[in-house]
Amino acid sequence: MEPEVDRIAQPWGGRTPYARGEPWPARVDSFLAPGVGTESVEHWAQSASLLHSNGDAMDIAVADGRIVGVRGRSGDRVNRGRLGPKDLFGWQANHSADRLTTPLMRRDGRLVACDWDTAMARVVAEAQHLLRERGPGSIGFYTTGQLFLEEYYTLTVIARAGIGTNHLDGNTRLCTATAGEALKETFGSDGQPGSYTDVDHADVIALFGHNMAETQPVLWMRVLDRLEGADPPQLVCVDPRPTPVARRAAVHLAPRSGTNVALLNALLHEVIRTGRIDRDFVADRTVGFDELAAQVARCTPGWAAGICDVPAADIERAAEILGGAERLLSTVLQGVYQSHQATAAACQVNNLQLIRGMLGRPGCGVLQMNGQPTAQNTRECGADGDLPGFRNWENDRHVADLAKVWNVEPSRIPHYGPPTPAMQIFRYAEQGSIRMLWISGTNPAVSLPELHRIRDVLGQERLFTVVQDLYATETAQLADVVLPAATWGEKTGAFTNADRTVHLSEKAVDPPGEARPDLDILLDFARRMGFRDKDGGPLIGWHDAPSAFEAWKECSRGRPCDYTGLTHDRLRGGSGIQWPCTEDAPDGTERLYTDGITWAGADDCETYGKDLVTGASVSGAEYRALNPDGKAVLRAAEYLPPHEDTGEEYPLQLNTGRTLYHFHTRTKTGRAPQLDAAAPEVWAELSAGEAQRHGVAEGDLVEVATPRGSVRGRLRITGIRDGMVFLPFHYGYWDTPEGHRPGRTGGRAANETTISDWDPVSKQPLLKAAAARLTLVERADGAVSPAPTTTASAPVDPHAAPPTTGGPAAVAAQTAAPPEGDGR
């Protein structure tokens, strides 16, 4: 009899302890629909997780032409068979009765069903008209972090060499733009230096603004198993909320929002002051140490304590642990990325690793984490605005090389200026220079800041909007044409996780109705547009996912993200494989920079860098003078205060973020019953001290307001730091009585309140930096906050709310070894 666990109540399952340096034991998690046994499964289709960035390998169970469950793949390097709650239950959203099954087109102000030829003819006619009348700059594309590699690459070729527009970006701009930018600023190129296996060897793991337990729950399971084994690592946690990570940390630093640079400079100050640096490593592999040391010389723990509102003794203790580590692993996520000095702060984490010489060895690495399952592919393939293959748009040789791959003239690839980031794309649409916006797999009417403005932009009569999605989202309701897309389990493609592991996701079932794979939609558009290369042949010569993958391999050849040693067949049956994977490294590459810094030379790098304060580009000549030998760059940064700070009218800092049970705007997780029941409605979090000062209590209905808008939700009193209020950002309006637009006093979407501002380097919006006030709307009178009790939202008073459970519907099997005969 397999052990069964309620994976809502126990989201990380049971423990399989292991010691430092040992391999992580396998544990296979599985969940099948009620009434379905393994004997009923007709076949298992290989895949990986779609609802976070960890890349958990799994098999999809199929019976009677439907997905009926999932199980983890025990032989995979990423998860060794484990699955998180979103992995186990999220697949049920595929069967939602409100899936889009036919194209829709706006007629007389209403979206009505039509056939594919009619919808695509309308899209093509609009694109051709705009190209004739206004040029390629009148068309923009805004995509996601949830398509497959082959789809991103096709989209990039269409946008760059077909249309010829510079206006292409992904919603990865909201979550991982800073990750890529920080890696480029330090190492000259994107590409994760570390590996998940570094968890197995590290004696110290530092998590900066990274609530790993909720954003990458399977990676947290790996850490938990190390904590329960022999020679466990010490954790250092930087987070203003009492996350599950914070509860297990040796030191928990809970700074004010917007003060990460001050805190990190103080940590660097202490490490340098106490001589805990690897001087040979610094001399051989870095430039900029003297400037860094001078910048942090006065950044004492006492100085930082006054800015961050964190005890100086805690900063000193954290620095002692970081400086004394034998093998240090650092991870970074949204708590750093969604702030006004995002890239500057992320670079200081890189600096910490470099001055300690903690790079390129087991247990020694940095993971500038991603937030979405295929965000890495968005960046690799150029769908985030950069050129494919981590090429430098300012390097004419790189542009010429890409033009050769595509068989077009270099002048056809827009490189007259920096690629247009997402917030600027929407600004151009607002101003009227962009007249057609194609949105695929994302929901900006809930996920972008200052939502009243975004709704106004998308609702303009002059803007022709195409939305390609699974459901009639808040964004789709504002579109002129809606194209029904197939999703995970309904199409085949490759995707890459946050530590460069490439997986194959096989088609398990047919999509509903007339829904089509995103690749098929894009190929159809390219064919109808008649895009040609310089010899008159088709610009896009591939016709399906395997042939698109082969085309991408040629684009990646010789680049940092080299895929030439991979094929779809190679990815079948075993574990995912980390790029670069080449003839010289046929089994992939576990960690980068083991023998030095390889892509930072001026002729090779993806960027020459930017000013960390203004975002202004550094010229090639300036970069060559700074870094003539192609070493890692230690980028120093001065702390600057937040743009919008608290005051008498708005005395609280607003922090928005994620919860374990949901993903993005809940378009999938809100349709999975176990996940939706675990966190069914928006809430607000406040400390006990702030609750007393504001005269509010657990369960009260409160309103959180900023100068831009407001949100109402039931209050949860947690261990969050004083002076801060937290809102989960997932909730929109598609499942409310008011429908797709806010129809009540006080909104439901946290981004009604956030500010249209961004980091100067990565252009990532500041979703964790706003001044707010909280007021009482009505007393609880028996009402309970819907916030989960298993996560960072756990109440200070354990009796304040019933425990979050999933009941029989959330019970999943958990075995210590793979089932016999599963072929893995």
Side-chain angles (χ1 to χ4, degrees), residues 331-349:
T331 74
V332 191
L333 199 57
Q334 311 299 18
V336 170
Y337 298 161
Q338 293 177 341
S339 60
H340 71 293
Q341 286 191 286
T343 306
C347 284
Q348 303 321 300
V349 179

Side-chain angles (χ1 to χ4, degrees), residues 755-785:
I755 190 170
S756 292
D757 196 2
W758 47 84
D759 174 65
V761 181
S762 67
K763 316 302 183 188
Q764 185 159 346
L766 314 188
L767 301 179
K768 294 182 178 293
R773 65 171 177 253
L774 182 143
T775 55
L776 175 68
V777 176
E778 65 181 29
R779 292 295 179 190
D781 193 25
V784 177
S785 174

Side-chain angles (χ1 to χ4, degrees), residues 459-471:
Q460 294 178 103
E461 189 71 27
R462 68 186 177 187
L463 179 66
F464 182 79
T465 306
V466 181
V467 170
Q468 187 172 311
D469 214 317
L470 314 181
Y471 311 99

Side-chain angles (χ1 to χ4, degrees), residues 581-643:
C581 181
T582 65
E583 184 177 331
D584 294 331
D587 297 321
T589 305
E590 188 170 21
R591 50 186 61 85
L592 304 182
Y593 311 129
T594 56
D595 297 316
I597 310 303
T598 47
W599 292 97
D603 293 331
D604 303 314
C605 63
E606 186 180 359
T607 180
Y608 301 128
K610 296 175 183 175
D611 185 288
L612 294 184
V613 174
T614 67
S617 293
V618 174
S619 72
E622 290 172 318
Y623 181 78
R624 197 178 295 272
L626 166 72
N627 194 13
D629 299 318
K631 298 181 179 181
V633 181
L634 296 168
R635 298 298 310 275
E638 177 187 4
Y639 164 72
L640 299 172
H643 299 169

Side-chain angles (χ1 to χ4, degrees), residues 264 267-273 275-283 286 288-289 292-293 296 328 348-359 634:
L264 285 157
L267 293 172
L268 288 163
H269 168 95
E270 283 295 283
V271 170
I272 293 172
R273 182 186 67 81
R276 303 287 187 86
I277 60 177
D278 186 332
R279 296 192 179 276
D280 290 340
F281 186 96
V282 168
T286 73
F289 177 77
L292 176 66
V296 304
L328 170 64
Q348 303 321 300
V349 179
N350 294 343
N351 290 345
L352 181 63
Q353 293 292 137
L354 288 166
I355 67 170
R356 293 242 47 235
M358 298 290 175
L359 195 71
L634 296 168

